[in-house]
Amino acid sequence: MKASAGYQIVTLNEFIINRQEEHPEARGDLSRLLHHIGVAAKIVNKKINKAGLVDILGEAGEVNVQGEDVKKLDVFANDHFIAAIQASGEVCAIASEENQEIVTFDDGLSRDGHYVFCMDPLDGSSNIEVNVSVGTIFSIYRRTSPEGERAQVSDFLQTGDHQVAAGYVIYGSSTMMVYTTGNGVDGFTLDPGIGEFCLSHPGIRTPDEGRIYSINEGNYVHFPMGVKQYIKYCQEIDPDTHRPYTSRYIGSLVSDFHRNLLMGGIFIYPQTQSAPKGKLRLIYECNPVAFIAEQAGGAATNGSTRMLEVIPDDLHQRVPLYVGSRKMVDKVKAFLHQYP
Ligand code: AHM
Ligand code: MG
């Protein structure tokens, strides 16, 4: 579409259609689903933008399946994403951080859906009350159970390398949606004037080596020795490798990951005493960012295994996460190997 000012604007929907046209065999089901994700993101974005103005912040009086406080906006985001995804008719079930069990759709259209959808509807929500960026993380798999039947938990327990698409929405100083369908990574910025996500970051590539490390160093005493040694390495002086690196940690995975993706860096959430298996969830936090990182030229591991090859045994399974620029992930892996 040519804009009258002479520059080209590609909206998310246009982009999705263009990509679909490159695949004549495609039936458009994934395109419809991506469109509905965009719609839900806009609804949630609007609510988050108004969060300081209305009495929406605070506890919803429930505790989520991880035992953490649920904020009202988590509930709002969860409900709206579920509704939008069901409306697409392409998904037979959803796994969400906010729901202990999978949510299955029993209408005929959805039962025939080819996909299952995994999400953290509002990641980093403990930051909302202080106006720090939060995000939605999502991931799409082809179902393994027969179409027409009720979806099963096993549909979700696939390794991350089976993801058909994954992405996130970051509700930040501007709102962005970044996603991959396994053909590179593209980013879209929401233009609030026209209410459309517009292609702003085509073909995102992450630097092979960055200068930022992101980790909650308050947990230092509980870190594995390999991680402690890697932090020491990051802080040493070596102009040839641009060290010491810069430390940046927002405490909001989507924001920390997004910055490092664009600028180069590594995000680490290792196992700690209070979180012996790590804190972040494999299916709807680690695998989606791992898929995006790899598609942008980066890497992700749980410390010993490529993240996308970790076999899930539980919907809400936690894993240590090391993700970011390829050479930095390799380096931390070497330290973990050296100091087991
Ligand atoms: P949440 O899904 O309950 O919001 O928790 C996940 C968040 C991530 O966004 C962030 O990387 C991490 O928890 C921060 O944890 P910590 O405060 O322990 O550093
Ligand atoms: Mg989360």
Side-chain angles (χ1 to χ4, degrees), residues 64 66 68-69 74 97-98 120 122-127 137 215-216 219 249-256 267 269 279-281 284-285 318:
N64 74 4
Q66 320 297 337
E68 297 148 355
D69 293 333
D74 297 45
E97 179 179 329
E98 300 301 334
D120 182 350
L122 209 56
D123 183 69
S125 52
S126 60
N127 289 318
I137 311 174
I215 186 167
N216 184 345
N219 292 327
Y249 190 75
I250 297 169
S252 197
L253 172 62
V254 173
S255 312
D256 280 311
F267 176 92
Y269 207 112
K279 177 182 182 189
L280 300 172
R281 276 52 65 109
Y284 43 81
E285 291 180 323
R318 297 173 192 263

Side-chain angles (χ1 to χ4, degrees), residues 199-274:
L199 182 61
S200 52
H201 296 65
I204 295 173
R205 300 295 296 169
T206 196
D208 272 353
E209 189 141 32
R211 300 177 192 179
I212 297 172
Y213 71 104
S214 307
I215 186 167
N216 184 345
E217 275 185 77
N219 292 327
Y220 185 87
V221 287
H222 303 306
F223 287 156
M225 186 51 75
V227 174
K228 287 181 176 169
Q229 293 296 327
Y230 179 69
I231 291 174
K232 224 170 101 190
Y233 168 86
C234 292
Q235 296 171 344
E236 277 164 8
I237 298 174
D238 179 11
D240 289 344
T241 52
H242 306 289
R243 284 179 292 144
Y245 294 151
T246 295
S247 167
R248 289 280 181 274
Y249 190 75
I250 297 169
S252 197
L253 172 62
V254 173
S255 312
D256 280 311
F257 176 77
H258 180 72
R259 180 202 51 240
N260 291 0
L261 181 74
L262 297 186
M263 299 182 71
I266 185 165
F267 176 92
I268 301 176
Y269 207 112
Q271 55 271 62
T272 63
Q273 207 167 40
S274 61

Side-chain angles (χ1 to χ4, degrees), residues 2-307:
K2 276 270 179 204
S4 56
Y7 52 84
Q8 207 170 13
I9 295 172
V10 179
T11 66
L12 174 63
N13 285 340
E14 232 178 317
F15 182 86
I16 292 169
I17 292 165
N18 292 346
R19 274 285 160 91
Q20 191 193 321
E21 282 169 357
E22 288 167 17
H23 300 273
E25 74 289 355
R27 290 166 300 191
D29 40 9
L30 185 60
S31 302
R32 268 190 294 280
L33 179 50
L34 289 166
H35 162 77
H36 279 81
I37 295 169
V39 172
K42 283 191 255 184
I43 295 170
V44 171
N45 175 64
K46 207 163 167 220
K47 199 77 171 178
I48 288 174
N49 281 171
K50 285 202 287 192
L53 296 172
V54 290
D55 182 27
I56 187 84
L57 290 176
E59 316 298 324
E62 292 169 23
V63 169
N64 74 4
V65 293
Q66 320 297 337
E68 297 148 355
D69 293 333
V70 179
K71 309 291 175 195
K72 284 179 189 172
L73 276 169
D74 297 45
V75 179
F76 182 90
N78 198 40
D79 291 350
H80 279 273
F81 268 93
I82 290 175
I85 299 312
Q86 182 170 18
S88 76
E90 307 297 344
V91 166
C92 58
I94 292 183
S96 164
E97 179 179 329
E98 300 301 334
N99 298 89
Q100 175 72 54
E101 310 292 341
I102 60 170
V103 179
T104 54
F105 300 138
D106 289 328
D107 59 285
L109 186 63
S110 300
R111 274 205 184 196
D112 286 339
H114 306 303
Y115 300 108
V116 293
F117 188 83
C118 316
M119 65 170 169
D120 182 350
L122 209 56
D123 183 69
S125 52
S126 60
N127 289 318
I128 292 173
E129 285 177 23
V130 288
N131 209 0
V132 167
S133 302
V134 289
T136 298
I137 311 174
F138 63 88
S139 163
I140 301 166
Y141 291 83
R142 204 166 276 281
R143 72 187 296 177
T144 52
S145 59
E147 282 166 24
E149 290 184 12
R150 189 171 221 187
Q152 306 290 325
V153 174
S154 53
D155 286 315
F156 294 90
L157 302 183
Q158 304 185 48
T159 51
D161 52 8
H162 287 85
Q163 289 173 102
V164 173
Y168 58 82
V169 182
I170 176 168
Y171 310 99
S173 45
S174 57
T175 293
M176 278 190 75
M177 177 163 156
V178 174
Y179 79 92
T180 180
T181 54
N183 185 16
V185 181
D186 298 287
F188 303 80
T189 302
L190 182 63
D191 180 338
I194 58 170
E196 294 280 1
F197 282 103
C198 300
L199 182 61
S200 52
H201 296 65
I204 295 173
R205 300 295 296 169
T206 196
D208 272 353
E209 189 141 32
R211 300 177 192 179
I212 297 172
Y213 71 104
S214 307
I215 186 167
N216 184 345
E217 275 185 77
N219 292 327
Y220 185 87
V221 287
H222 303 306
F223 287 156
M225 186 51 75
V227 174
K228 287 181 176 169
Q229 293 296 327
Y230 179 69
I231 291 174
K232 224 170 101 190
Y233 168 86
C234 292
Q235 296 171 344
E236 277 164 8
I237 298 174
D238 179 11
D240 289 344
T241 52
H242 306 289
R243 284 179 292 144
Y245 294 151
T246 295
S247 167
R248 289 280 181 274
Y249 190 75
I250 297 169
S252 197
L253 172 62
V254 173
S255 312
D256 280 311
F257 176 77
H258 180 72
R259 180 202 51 240
N260 291 0
L261 181 74
L262 297 186
M263 299 182 71
I266 185 165
F267 176 92
I268 301 176
Y269 207 112
Q271 55 271 62
T272 63
Q273 207 167 40
S274 61
K277 293 179 175 170
K279 177 182 182 189
L280 300 172
R281 276 52 65 109
L282 173 62
I283 290 180
Y284 43 81
E285 291 180 323
C286 299
N287 270 339
V289 297
F291 189 23
I292 294 166
E294 284 198 5
Q295 283 294 315
T301 174
N302 68 357
S304 56
T305 306
R306 178 178 164 237
M307 191 62 71

